[in-house]
Amino acid sequence: MPTTAPPPIPAGPAPPASVPSGPGQLTGALGAALRRAAPALFGYLAVRLLGALVLMKWAHLKQHGLWPLLASHWDSRWYLGIADHGYAQTLDERLFNENNLAFFPLYPVIVKAVAGVTPGSRASIGLVVAVVCSLTAAWGVFAVGDRLHGRRVGTVLAVLWGATPVAVVQWMGYTESLFTALVAWSLHSVLTGRWIGAGALALLAGLTRPTGLAVAAAVSVTALVALWRLWRPPADRAEGRPEPRAGAPRLLLAALLAPLGWLGYVGWVGLRLHRADGYFAVQRMWHNEWDGGIGTLRTLRSILGYQPRPQLFFVVVSLVLIASVVLYLLCVAGRQPLPLLVFSSVLLAIVLGSGGVYFPRARFLLPGFPLLLPAAVAIARARRRSVVLVLGGSALVSAYLGAYMILVYGGAP
């Protein structure tokens, strides 16, 4: 079936979009945007409900409850502990994986705030927050794909994001859904010229996960490049300085705002522990040190080349890492917009360059939805039957792997 070619990607961020001036206009604009995103959200919801149903059935056969598996296991307990009791005040480097300062504050703060005004346990509130954020994230993922390649690609991109091998984490008491929502809407704000919003969302992302540094870099670098283009003299002017332009203050403010969340938390940990390298000392306790990828390559070689019967979950993680590099090269070859490329570059550098624990690497890459854009474009151009088969197969594989990861592998995702 012939398809029309996607619209060309602009060389730089778009000019600021008009903002509705009144409540009625704002409600109308949100309603129109939600209607446009509805197929993507319904597709995403269908994929994740399938995953939840498979997990629920499998958990029932193993005599496990679904709620505890999703709401109060592994890292969820750390976040709930922070919401209940706050952060540690000391650092004992003789301990391993025993300091909650490794976990960024925004998610537990939201859980504590919402739990203070609603009924239910904090574990239940944390799970609800994650699910709501996952839908917000899927909407943002769709909005980025729609902005660059049209509605069909945006819809496929959102469904693909919900059908990744470790997408079960999106509906757990983890930070991935909140972080992806902030990343997606921050990048979308850059693409649409909403610079203050982009910087503010990047700031919040920096308070959510260590990889918030990636979206901060994306916003700051793109804003500074746009600022340089704004201020450089026209080609026909050999001398003289350009007059100040109206957009310059917003670009500069966005560039300054974006990294403040990440820098603020890292600085606060240093002050709390009375040492400049406090946050990095905590990461060393969790065996998370950047080694340029040497540890990742060694583990990859061991799992895929030397272990006679490697565990399925580690094979999946390894394949996700390899696929991410291939997709990144396709993104570069496809000349993806600068903010998306910077975000993906820094995210991959952090995740692949870490010498720390190997098993959560696929989860750490879950917010890297721009890496899925080449696949989404290719799928969207295929025949409808092929699209259904690919997305449906991806959803089934994701559902199986999610249940396997939680109930058979049994370790932290």
Side-chain angles (χ1 to χ4, degrees), residues 81-176:
I82 294 170
D84 287 334
H85 309 295
Y87 281 104
Q89 299 187 28
T90 58
L91 180 67
D92 188 345
E93 297 191 59
R94 296 171 298 177
L95 301 177
F96 171 60
N97 290 7
E98 289 294 333
N99 194 293
N100 64 5
L101 287 166
F103 298 88
F104 279 53
L106 185 60
Y107 176 71
V109 165
I110 292 175
V111 170
K112 184 174 182 178
V114 175
V117 295
T118 57
S121 67
R122 286 182 175 172
S124 298
I125 296 299
L127 186 56
V128 170
V129 168
V131 172
V132 171
C133 286
S134 76
L135 292 170
T136 308
W139 189 357
V141 169
F142 162 80
V144 171
D146 182 27
R147 174 76 185 181
L148 296 177
H149 296 283
R151 189 181 192 186
R152 185 180 175 91
V153 171
T155 300
V156 172
L157 183 63
V159 175
L160 275 181
W161 181 70
T164 52
V166 295
V168 65
V169 175
Q170 296 169 6
W171 283 13
M172 294 178 65
Y174 275 56
T175 59
E176 271 67 27

Side-chain angles (χ1 to χ4, degrees), residues 234-315:
D236 58 345
R237 286 184 61 177
E239 298 179 356
R241 298 176 59 185
E243 294 297 324
R245 312 284 182 89
R250 286 179 297 164
L251 291 168
L252 183 59
L253 182 56
L256 295 174
L257 273 177
L260 288 184
W262 190 89
L263 291 174
Y265 181 68
V266 170
W268 178 82
V269 172
L271 291 173
R272 191 171 183 85
L273 297 178
H274 306 291
R275 51 186 296 179
D277 69 335
Y279 172 76
F280 303 100
V282 172
Q283 288 296 334
R284 286 194 294 270
M285 290 177 55
W286 286 82
H287 292 187
N288 286 328
E289 294 184 83
W290 200 83
D291 66 359
I294 296 174
T296 301
L297 290 174
R298 286 175 178 169
T299 307
L300 269 174
R301 184 179 62 177
S302 173
I303 292 171
L304 300 181
Y306 293 99
Q307 294 182 16
R309 298 184 64 182
Q311 193 173 66
L312 175 61
F313 179 67
F314 289 103
V315 173

Side-chain angles (χ1 to χ4, degrees), residues 327-365:
L327 289 169
Y328 174 73
L329 295 176
L330 292 175
C331 292
V332 174
R335 303 179 71 176
Q336 223 172 63
L338 179 63
L340 274 63
L341 282 179
V342 172
F343 171 72
S344 298
S345 300
V346 178
L347 180 67
L348 284 173
I350 294 173
V351 175
L352 299 182
S354 171
V357 287
Y358 187 78
F359 60 85
R361 303 294 181 88
R363 172 169 65 87
F364 292 166
L365 287 174

